[in-house]
Structure formats: C-alpha cells, structure tokens
Amino acid sequence: MLLRHVASFFCQVTPVERVKCILQAAPAGEFEGPVDCVAQIVRTDGIQGLLTRGLGVTLLREVPSYGFYFGAYEFTKTSLLALVSGLPPSAQWCSALVPLVGGAAAGAAARLPDF
C-alpha cells in the first residue's frame, strides 16, 4: 500500500501541474502560452514558486487518488485473471478484456477520495 502512494508522488509532482492550473484559471490572453506562464511565475515567485507553490494541495489530492487507482487495478486484475483461468480454451479470449476492465475500475476508484 505504501509503495502505491510513493509511486503516486512521482506521477504528479511536477511544475507542469502548477502551470496547467494557472493557465486554466487565467483570463484569456493573460499568457501567450505555457512558456510565458513559466517565465512570469519565475519572475514573480522565483524558482521556488514554480517548484513548490501549490505542492501541498496537489499531494493531498493525488497521493490518495493514485493509491486507490493502483490498488483497484491490481485487485480487479487479480480477481478477473483467476476467473478467466477457469474458463474453457474456447473462452480464453476473455483474458484480453482484463486490462480494459481493470483500467475502468481503477479510474473510477481513483476519484473516490475526491468526494
């Protein structure tokens, strides 16, 4: 369980997340693009502002979400593979659906901590 949360830390903790949020919240025309946004952040907040501002809130959202994501995917995959292994050879094509269903369950589970 701990490794799932550690992996989630490295999945989402980047300056790209901050730039994306600023660009989404800014009025149209405030920035010429992502590079201009980064330049303005560094100019006003310094490099620390680019790397750490908003980090706590991002971690609070992403770490539990990815923990649920990885956990749900592994649980679903393991459960479905156990079911598929007992099927006759003519129905083994069902194993191709395991990653699809696992991903769907994981995506749904990842949003649970948000609510």
Side-chain angles (χ1 to χ4, degrees):
M1 183 74 147
L2 175 64
L3 290 178
R4 288 184 222 141
H5 295 293
V6 172
S8 70
F9 176 81
F10 291 105
C11 288
Q12 285 293 318
V13 182
T14 65
V16 174
E17 180 74 12
R18 173 133 197 258
V19 172
K20 179 191 73 142
C21 289
I22 289 174
L23 286 172
Q24 287 175 340
E30 184 170 336
F31 299 103
E32 294 177 17
V35 175
D36 182 43
C37 182
V38 169
Q40 286 191 38
I41 292 170
V42 171
R43 198 174 314 121
T44 58
D45 297 337
I47 196 73
Q48 284 291 102
L50 182 65
L51 298 175
T52 60
R53 189 163 178 201
L55 180 64
V57 175
T58 300
L59 290 176
L60 190 63
R61 180 191 71 214
E62 296 299 329
V63 171
S65 292
Y66 276 96
F68 275 74
Y69 180 91
F70 292 129
Y73 182 79
E74 287 301 318
F75 174 78
T76 305
K77 184 182 78 169
T78 303
S79 300
L80 291 177
L81 285 175
L83 287 173
V84 171
S85 66
L87 293 176
S90 62
Q92 288 295 318
W93 62 269
C94 292
S95 63
L97 298 175
V98 170
L100 176 73
V101 176
R111 297 298 94 191
L112 289 176
D114 293 348
F115 299 104

